[in-house]
Structure formats: structure tokens, C-alpha cells
Amino acid sequence: MTGNSKLNRGLVLSAALLGFGLLATSAQAQTADEFQALVNKVHAKYLPLQEGANADYIPILTETPSDLFGVVIVTKDGKVYSAGDVDYKFSIQSVSKPFTAALVMNQQGTEAIREKIGVEPTGLPFNSKMALELYDARSVNPLVNAGAIASVSLVAAKSEEDRWNQVLQNISDFAGEPLTVLEKVYESEYTTAFGNRAIANLLYNYGRLYSDPEEALRVYTRQCSIGVSAKDLGMMGATLANLGVNPVTGKRVMPARDVPELLAIMATAGFYDESGDWMYDAGLPAKTGVGGGIVAVVPGKFAVATFSAPLNKAGNSVRGLHAIRDIAGELGVGVFGPNPE
Ligand code: DON
């Protein structure tokens, strides 16, 4: 290397560091007041919105009051900014899926997820049986029902109880507090889980499920019935923003090296057949659930989580997606650059 090219490299590096410094400064410029004002603003803006309907294929979910609405930002150092119903416990449903995928990544490596489940978005609804027939991977990715049931079956376990305990402990570690199952939700979902039972059996038939199908179905359904608040989801997202360390307990919940792969799946499949629209508008890896929860991650900075039960046709919370999209737009934190508001 010549002296000149060394100098050039030095200048480029300094410029890059300066740029990074400016970015870091602008992140710090998001003050406590700014975060609080923003969650208040989007909460007030979307509370009156009456679009969407509670999920009804799990009968008990129709009973969740549709007017409850919570918005929370949790920073990677554990500061919480909230508005509305952020302590109400609802069922985590599909928001659980990336966190169990993280457990499998930790136990078996990220390649196991690609090879044994898949990482392609389906472009189809979350409970699609057709996707299983269309794609050679069958389970397709860990965020649709098929891939999530396969994730549960991949947890290295000695028994069903061991499998369940690991799943619950892992999600509790992400939240930073012991979580429990909403038993009425479990009962309602398991007694009506004919579609998911079909999916589990089809996967097993194709050699793409790695435990007894009914065991995987039961543990998956219990996982979906775990009670969380919007604040819990925010803390789980903040753990991802903090590269796998829970900001309050300080516990490392997943290896930092696996976080980019996990966020990549959340970016491409977190909103199911609406993931393209979501990334176009908000530009953030995220995960939704039919219980009404959403968590979105601004990598290296913070998480935004919402709760509101009414869903759109893709199964995503209407108030929640509007609120997070506005926050991402106003703060200019989309991962590909600031998205328009
Ligand atoms: O298996 C199911 O259908 C539910 N336990 C979870 C689906 C879900 O949350 C889809 N999310 N938007």
C-alpha cells in the first residue's frame, strides 16, 4: 500500500467514523421528552380509529375489549415511555414465534433454521396449508404457523414438560420477568386447533417436524397462550435491540451473532402477506400476533410495541401498525433510511 492510499483510507475511515458519530448523536437527540411526546401523540391519534375486528377463529379472543390500546417505546438501556393500556395482559400469539426461533438458533445454529424450516416469506396467510404443498421447504419460515410448530419441535428436549419449560423460560428471559399462560386462551385455542393439527401432521408426514406432532401442537399452543403486556413485548424487543441482552436483568438471552438473522426473518415475514407493505411503510423488522400485539425493533437503539385487538385481513393490529409506522416515520429510524411519515 502506498503512503497516499494509506492516507486516503485513513480519511475515508475518519469520515465514516464522523458519519457514525453524527448518526449516534442524532439517535441520542431522541430525548426522553421526544419519545414520551411521540407515544402520547400516536396513542391519541389512533385511539378513535374503529377499523378492523378481533380474531374470532380462537373463540375467546372475541372477548378482548376492542377499545384497549397501548403504545410503548423501550430503549436498549431499558427506559420505558408509554401511553394507554400498556399493562393489560393479552395472549402473545405469533409474537412468540421469533423468540422460540432464537432459542433454536442458539441450540442448533442459524443454518439449522434455514435447512430444517426455511427462511423464505410465503406471501400467503399465516395459517396457509397450501404453502406446505407449494414449497419444497414445507414449513417455509419460523414465523408462519407451520414453521413455528416446527421450531417448537426442534427445541432439544427430553420430554414434553422439558420442551415447554424451555420455551416458557426463554420467552420470560426476553421479557425480563416470569410469564404465565392464560389458561382460558389455551383451552379455547387447543380445543379448536384443527387447522394447526392438520399442519403439524402434514409436516410430520413430509419429514419436516422433529417431534411427536401432538406434542409440538400442544407446546406451540401453550406458547401462543402466554400472557404478555405491551410493556413486556417492548422489553422483549429492546433485548433484540440490545443484541440479545435483556436491558433490565442484564441476562444474555441469545448470542449477539444470531440477532441479524433473526431480524432479517422478522423484516421479510413478520407481517405475513403484508410484510412488503410493512417494510415499504415502516422499514423495521417486526412481529405481530392475533392477540393484538406488535413489536418492532430499531436495531441497536430501541423497540416499539403496541397492543390493540382489532385486526386487519392479514391478522395484524390496525391501531398498532399505524402507531408504529408513524413513530418510525417521525423519528426517521427505518433500517434502510428515513421513511416518509
Ligand atoms: O396458531 C395460530 O393461529 C395462533 N396461535 C397464532 C396466529 C397469529 O398470531 C398470527 N398473527 N398475526
Side-chain angles (χ1 to χ4, degrees), residues 57-58 92-95 97 126-127 143 145 149 189 196 220-221 224-225 270 272 287-291 293 311 314-316:
Y57 73 100
I58 300 169
I92 188 170
Q93 300 296 344
S94 292
V95 187
K97 292 170 176 173
F126 60 85
N127 52 5
L143 303 191
N145 289 8
I149 297 170
E189 182 161 355
N196 282 341
Y220 164 77
T221 309
C224 290
S225 308
Y272 305 111
K287 187 70 205 82
T288 67
V290 293
L311 312 175
N316 301 321

mmCIF file of all heavy atoms in Angstrom, residues 57-58 92-95 97 126-127 143 145 149 189 196 220-221 224-225 270 272 287-291 293 311 314-316, ligand 1:
data_model
loop_
_atom_site.group_PDB
_atom_site.id
_atom_site.type_symbol
_atom_site.label_atom_id
_atom_site.label_comp_id
_atom_site.label_asym_id
_atom_site.label_seq_id
_atom_site.Cartn_x
_atom_site.Cartn_y
_atom_site.Cartn_z
ATOM 1 N N TYR A 57 -61.422 -16.856 15.167
ATOM 2 C CA TYR A 57 -61.246 -18.296 14.965
ATOM 3 C C TYR A 57 -60.717 -18.970 16.239
ATOM 4 O O TYR A 57 -60.771 -20.192 16.373
ATOM 5 C CB TYR A 57 -60.332 -18.570 13.752
ATOM 6 C CG TYR A 57 -58.864 -18.281 13.979
ATOM 7 C CD1 TYR A 57 -57.969 -19.319 14.263
ATOM 8 C CD2 TYR A 57 -58.365 -16.990 13.944
ATOM 9 C CE1 TYR A 57 -56.627 -19.070 14.503
ATOM 10 C CE2 TYR A 57 -57.032 -16.728 14.171
ATOM 11 C CZ TYR A 57 -56.167 -17.768 14.447
ATOM 12 O OH TYR A 57 -54.844 -17.510 14.696
ATOM 13 N N ILE A 58 -60.196 -18.153 17.173
ATOM 14 C CA ILE A 58 -59.927 -18.622 18.542
ATOM 15 C C ILE A 58 -61.027 -17.944 19.374
ATOM 16 O O ILE A 58 -60.946 -16.729 19.629
ATOM 17 C CB ILE A 58 -58.519 -18.201 19.023
ATOM 18 C CG1 ILE A 58 -57.450 -18.801 18.098
ATOM 19 C CG2 ILE A 58 -58.292 -18.622 20.472
ATOM 20 C CD1 ILE A 58 -56.047 -18.254 18.307
ATOM 21 N N ILE A 92 -49.894 -13.672 23.734
ATOM 22 C CA ILE A 92 -48.780 -13.255 22.878
ATOM 23 C C ILE A 92 -48.968 -13.733 21.433
ATOM 24 O O ILE A 92 -48.536 -13.074 20.496
ATOM 25 C CB ILE A 92 -47.445 -13.778 23.459
ATOM 26 C CG1 ILE A 92 -46.246 -13.217 22.711
ATOM 27 C CG2 ILE A 92 -47.392 -15.296 23.479
ATOM 28 C CD1 ILE A 92 -44.891 -13.497 23.393
ATOM 29 N N GLN A 93 -49.599 -14.898 21.263
ATOM 30 C CA GLN A 93 -49.821 -15.485 19.931
ATOM 31 C C GLN A 93 -48.539 -15.469 19.094
ATOM 32 O O GLN A 93 -47.484 -15.806 19.580
ATOM 33 C CB GLN A 93 -51.013 -14.791 19.246
ATOM 34 C CG GLN A 93 -52.315 -14.923 20.040
ATOM 35 C CD GLN A 93 -52.803 -16.370 20.160
ATOM 36 O OE1 GLN A 93 -52.359 -17.255 19.430
ATOM 37 N NE2 GLN A 93 -53.693 -16.643 21.108
ATOM 38 N N SER A 94 -48.638 -15.017 17.847
ATOM 39 C CA SER A 94 -47.481 -15.171 16.940
ATOM 40 C C SER A 94 -46.283 -14.294 17.287
ATOM 41 O O SER A 94 -45.208 -14.489 16.716
ATOM 42 C CB SER A 94 -47.897 -14.870 15.507
ATOM 43 O OG SER A 94 -48.769 -15.867 15.053
ATOM 44 N N VAL A 95 -46.473 -13.315 18.180
ATOM 45 C CA VAL A 95 -45.298 -12.513 18.553
ATOM 46 C C VAL A 95 -44.266 -13.409 19.260
ATOM 47 O O VAL A 95 -43.084 -13.094 19.318
ATOM 48 C CB VAL A 95 -45.676 -11.300 19.439
ATOM 49 C CG1 VAL A 95 -44.474 -10.393 19.653
ATOM 50 C CG2 VAL A 95 -46.816 -10.503 18.827
ATOM 51 N N LYS A 97 -43.264 -16.219 18.117
ATOM 52 C CA LYS A 97 -42.557 -17.095 17.166
ATOM 53 C C LYS A 97 -41.068 -16.774 16.975
ATOM 54 O O LYS A 97 -40.237 -17.689 17.003
ATOM 55 C CB LYS A 97 -43.295 -17.091 15.818
ATOM 56 C CG LYS A 97 -44.663 -17.775 15.891
ATOM 57 C CD LYS A 97 -45.463 -17.534 14.605
ATOM 58 C CE LYS A 97 -46.788 -18.280 14.601
ATOM 59 N NZ LYS A 97 -47.634 -17.928 13.445
ATOM 60 N N PHE A 126 -50.874 -16.609 7.388
ATOM 61 C CA PHE A 126 -50.020 -17.269 8.385
ATOM 62 C C PHE A 126 -50.376 -18.730 8.624
ATOM 63 O O PHE A 126 -49.560 -19.507 9.080
ATOM 64 C CB PHE A 126 -50.067 -16.498 9.714
ATOM 65 C CG PHE A 126 -51.436 -16.385 10.324
ATOM 66 C CD1 PHE A 126 -51.958 -17.388 11.136
ATOM 67 C CD2 PHE A 126 -52.208 -15.253 10.100
ATOM 68 C CE1 PHE A 126 -53.210 -17.280 11.710
ATOM 69 C CE2 PHE A 126 -53.469 -15.128 10.674
ATOM 70 C CZ PHE A 126 -53.973 -16.141 11.460
ATOM 71 N N ASN A 127 -51.658 -19.090 8.318
ATOM 72 C CA ASN A 127 -52.076 -20.474 8.599
ATOM 73 C C ASN A 127 -52.266 -21.278 7.310
ATOM 74 O O ASN A 127 -52.985 -22.269 7.297
ATOM 75 C CB ASN A 127 -53.364 -20.472 9.429
ATOM 76 C CG ASN A 127 -54.434 -19.602 8.786
ATOM 77 O OD1 ASN A 127 -54.240 -19.086 7.680
ATOM 78 N ND2 ASN A 127 -55.542 -19.436 9.468
ATOM 79 N N LEU A 143 -41.907 -17.987 11.162
ATOM 80 C CA LEU A 143 -42.906 -17.023 11.632
ATOM 81 C C LEU A 143 -44.324 -17.361 11.177
ATOM 82 O O LEU A 143 -45.289 -16.763 11.653
ATOM 83 C CB LEU A 143 -42.522 -15.596 11.217
ATOM 84 C CG LEU A 143 -41.135 -15.138 11.699
ATOM 85 C CD1 LEU A 143 -40.954 -13.646 11.483
ATOM 86 C CD2 LEU A 143 -40.892 -15.489 13.164
ATOM 87 N N ASN A 145 -47.403 -20.351 10.917
ATOM 88 C CA ASN A 145 -47.744 -21.398 11.891
ATOM 89 C C ASN A 145 -46.923 -22.664 11.670
ATOM 90 O O ASN A 145 -46.413 -23.260 12.633
ATOM 91 C CB ASN A 145 -49.237 -21.721 11.821
ATOM 92 C CG ASN A 145 -50.085 -20.597 12.390
ATOM 93 O OD1 ASN A 145 -49.560 -19.523 12.691
ATOM 94 N ND2 ASN A 145 -51.373 -20.813 12.517
ATOM 95 N N ILE A 149 -44.486 -24.220 14.509
ATOM 96 C CA ILE A 149 -44.700 -25.540 15.128
ATOM 97 C C ILE A 149 -43.423 -26.371 14.941
ATOM 98 O O ILE A 149 -42.981 -27.083 15.851
ATOM 99 C CB ILE A 149 -45.951 -26.228 14.521
ATOM 100 C CG1 ILE A 149 -47.213 -25.398 14.818
ATOM 101 C CG2 ILE A 149 -46.121 -27.638 15.081
ATOM 102 C CD1 ILE A 149 -48.472 -25.840 14.068
ATOM 103 N N GLU A 189 -58.081 -22.232 22.411
ATOM 104 C CA GLU A 189 -57.306 -22.450 21.174
ATOM 105 C C GLU A 189 -57.056 -23.935 20.918
ATOM 106 O O GLU A 189 -57.189 -24.404 19.785
ATOM 107 C CB GLU A 189 -55.981 -21.679 21.248
ATOM 108 C CG GLU A 189 -55.179 -21.837 19.966
ATOM 109 C CD GLU A 189 -54.105 -20.801 19.737
ATOM 110 O OE1 GLU A 189 -53.988 -19.843 20.531
ATOM 111 O OE2 GLU A 189 -53.377 -20.944 18.744
ATOM 112 N N ASN A 196 -54.256 -26.205 12.790
ATOM 113 C CA ASN A 196 -52.850 -26.382 13.192
ATOM 114 C C ASN A 196 -52.499 -27.855 13.373
ATOM 115 O O ASN A 196 -51.370 -28.269 13.114
ATOM 116 C CB ASN A 196 -52.558 -25.612 14.483
ATOM 117 C CG ASN A 196 -52.370 -24.123 14.218
ATOM 118 O OD1 ASN A 196 -52.103 -23.725 13.081
ATOM 119 N ND2 ASN A 196 -52.503 -23.307 15.241
ATOM 120 N N TYR A 220 -46.749 -25.626 21.218
ATOM 121 C CA TYR A 220 -46.923 -24.414 20.397
ATOM 122 C C TYR A 220 -48.151 -23.623 20.861
ATOM 123 O O TYR A 220 -48.099 -22.393 20.999
ATOM 124 C CB TYR A 220 -47.065 -24.810 18.922
ATOM 125 C CG TYR A 220 -47.610 -23.707 18.055
ATOM 126 C CD1 TYR A 220 -46.796 -22.646 17.642
ATOM 127 C CD2 TYR A 220 -48.961 -23.696 17.667
ATOM 128 C CE1 TYR A 220 -47.314 -21.618 16.865
ATOM 129 C CE2 TYR A 220 -49.473 -22.681 16.900
ATOM 130 C CZ TYR A 220 -48.647 -21.630 16.496
ATOM 131 O OH TYR A 220 -49.158 -20.618 15.734
ATOM 132 N N THR A 221 -49.255 -24.340 21.126
ATOM 133 C CA THR A 221 -50.489 -23.649 21.522
ATOM 134 C C THR A 221 -50.322 -22.996 22.893
ATOM 135 O O THR A 221 -50.781 -21.869 23.120
ATOM 136 C CB THR A 221 -51.691 -24.630 21.512
ATOM 137 O OG1 THR A 221 -51.710 -25.309 20.257
ATOM 138 C CG2 THR A 221 -53.008 -23.900 21.689
ATOM 139 N N CYS A 224 -48.388 -19.839 22.430
ATOM 140 C CA CYS A 224 -49.210 -18.742 21.900
ATOM 141 C C CYS A 224 -50.141 -18.163 22.954
ATOM 142 O O CYS A 224 -50.616 -17.039 22.822
ATOM 143 C CB CYS A 224 -50.034 -19.237 20.708
ATOM 144 S SG CYS A 224 -49.029 -19.588 19.261
ATOM 145 N N SER A 225 -50.409 -18.949 24.032
ATOM 146 C CA SER A 225 -51.348 -18.520 25.068
ATOM 147 C C SER A 225 -50.656 -17.805 26.233
ATOM 148 O O SER A 225 -51.306 -17.459 27.223
ATOM 149 C CB SER A 225 -52.095 -19.741 25.624
ATOM 150 O OG SER A 225 -52.656 -20.486 24.578
ATOM 151 N N GLY A 270 -42.488 -10.902 9.104
ATOM 152 C CA GLY A 270 -43.133 -10.581 10.382
ATOM 153 C C GLY A 270 -44.583 -10.154 10.269
ATOM 154 O O GLY A 270 -45.356 -10.278 11.207
ATOM 155 N N TYR A 272 -46.505 -11.319 7.701
ATOM 156 C CA TYR A 272 -47.100 -12.304 6.783
ATOM 157 C C TYR A 272 -47.207 -11.755 5.362
ATOM 158 O O TYR A 272 -46.261 -11.156 4.866
ATOM 159 C CB TYR A 272 -48.468 -12.784 7.317
ATOM 160 C CG TYR A 272 -48.348 -13.305 8.706
ATOM 161 C CD1 TYR A 272 -48.905 -12.641 9.772
ATOM 162 C CD2 TYR A 272 -47.601 -14.442 8.968
ATOM 163 C CE1 TYR A 272 -48.750 -13.107 11.069
ATOM 164 C CE2 TYR A 272 -47.433 -14.919 10.255
ATOM 165 C CZ TYR A 272 -48.007 -14.240 11.290
ATOM 166 O OH TYR A 272 -47.849 -14.697 12.558
ATOM 167 N N LYS A 287 -42.879 -8.109 14.510
ATOM 168 C CA LYS A 287 -43.719 -9.306 14.558
ATOM 169 C C LYS A 287 -45.061 -8.961 15.163
ATOM 170 O O LYS A 287 -45.133 -8.213 16.147
ATOM 171 C CB LYS A 287 -43.044 -10.417 15.386
ATOM 172 C CG LYS A 287 -43.790 -11.721 15.312
ATOM 173 C CD LYS A 287 -43.669 -12.345 13.922
ATOM 174 C CE LYS A 287 -44.838 -13.271 13.598
ATOM 175 N NZ LYS A 287 -46.026 -12.523 13.118
ATOM 176 N N THR A 288 -46.097 -9.514 14.567
ATOM 177 C CA THR A 288 -47.464 -9.266 15.016
ATOM 178 C C THR A 288 -48.083 -10.546 15.574
ATOM 179 O O THR A 288 -47.571 -11.626 15.335
ATOM 180 C CB THR A 288 -48.336 -8.818 13.828
ATOM 181 O OG1 THR A 288 -48.466 -9.928 12.926
ATOM 182 C CG2 THR A 288 -47.698 -7.657 13.079
ATOM 183 N N GLY A 289 -49.196 -10.400 16.278
ATOM 184 C CA GLY A 289 -49.913 -11.574 16.778
ATOM 185 C C GLY A 289 -51.413 -11.325 16.753
ATOM 186 O O GLY A 289 -51.848 -10.164 16.903
ATOM 187 N N VAL A 290 -52.213 -12.402 16.599
ATOM 188 C CA VAL A 290 -53.668 -12.212 16.524
ATOM 189 C C VAL A 290 -54.288 -11.835 17.878
ATOM 190 O O VAL A 290 -55.465 -11.506 17.947
ATOM 191 C CB VAL A 290 -54.406 -13.437 15.927
ATOM 192 C CG1 VAL A 290 -54.066 -13.631 14.465
ATOM 193 C CG2 VAL A 290 -54.149 -14.707 16.741
ATOM 194 N N GLY A 291 -53.489 -11.871 18.949
ATOM 195 C CA GLY A 291 -53.964 -11.352 20.234
ATOM 196 C C GLY A 291 -54.003 -9.831 20.240
ATOM 197 O O GLY A 291 -54.541 -9.215 21.153
ATOM 198 N N GLY A 293 -51.031 -7.891 19.639
ATOM 199 C CA GLY A 293 -49.704 -7.320 19.932
ATOM 200 C C GLY A 293 -48.861 -7.140 18.677
ATOM 201 O O GLY A 293 -49.030 -7.869 17.693
ATOM 202 N N LEU A 311 -58.008 -6.421 14.256
ATOM 203 C CA LEU A 311 -57.006 -6.787 13.241
ATOM 204 C C LEU A 311 -57.511 -6.470 11.838
ATOM 205 O O LEU A 311 -58.723 -6.450 11.592
ATOM 206 C CB LEU A 311 -56.733 -8.297 13.303
ATOM 207 C CG LEU A 311 -56.469 -8.927 14.664
ATOM 208 C CD1 LEU A 311 -56.345 -10.452 14.507
ATOM 209 C CD2 LEU A 311 -55.209 -8.346 15.300
ATOM 210 N N ALA A 314 -55.021 -9.375 7.148
ATOM 211 C CA ALA A 314 -53.797 -10.195 7.232
ATOM 212 C C ALA A 314 -53.530 -10.669 8.660
ATOM 213 O O ALA A 314 -52.590 -11.419 8.903
ATOM 214 C CB ALA A 314 -52.603 -9.411 6.702
ATOM 215 N N GLY A 315 -54.360 -10.205 9.637
ATOM 216 C CA GLY A 315 -54.193 -10.638 11.025
ATOM 217 C C GLY A 315 -53.277 -9.716 11.809
ATOM 218 O O GLY A 315 -52.702 -10.121 12.827
ATOM 219 N N ASN A 316 -53.134 -8.464 11.360
ATOM 220 C CA ASN A 316 -52.232 -7.513 12.018
ATOM 221 C C ASN A 316 -53.047 -6.388 12.667
ATOM 222 O O ASN A 316 -54.005 -5.884 12.059
ATOM 223 C CB ASN A 316 -51.246 -6.945 10.988
ATOM 224 C CG ASN A 316 -50.418 -8.046 10.332
ATOM 225 O OD1 ASN A 316 -50.002 -8.999 11.002
ATOM 226 N ND2 ASN A 316 -50.190 -7.943 9.024
HETATM 227 O O1 DON B 1 -51.699 -20.637 15.534
HETATM 228 C C1 DON B 1 -52.418 -19.636 15.477
HETATM 229 O O2 DON B 1 -53.214 -19.465 14.572
HETATM 230 C C2 DON B 1 -52.280 -18.602 16.559
HETATM 231 N N1 DON B 1 -51.899 -19.212 17.776
HETATM 232 C C3 DON B 1 -51.234 -17.570 16.199
HETATM 233 C C4 DON B 1 -51.504 -16.881 14.891
HETATM 234 C C5 DON B 1 -51.064 -15.473 14.879
HETATM 235 O O3 DON B 1 -50.913 -14.835 15.891
HETATM 236 C C6 DON B 1 -50.935 -14.838 13.562
HETATM 237 N N2 DON B 1 -50.555 -13.453 13.734
HETATM 238 N N3 DON B 1 -50.797 -12.418 13.312
#
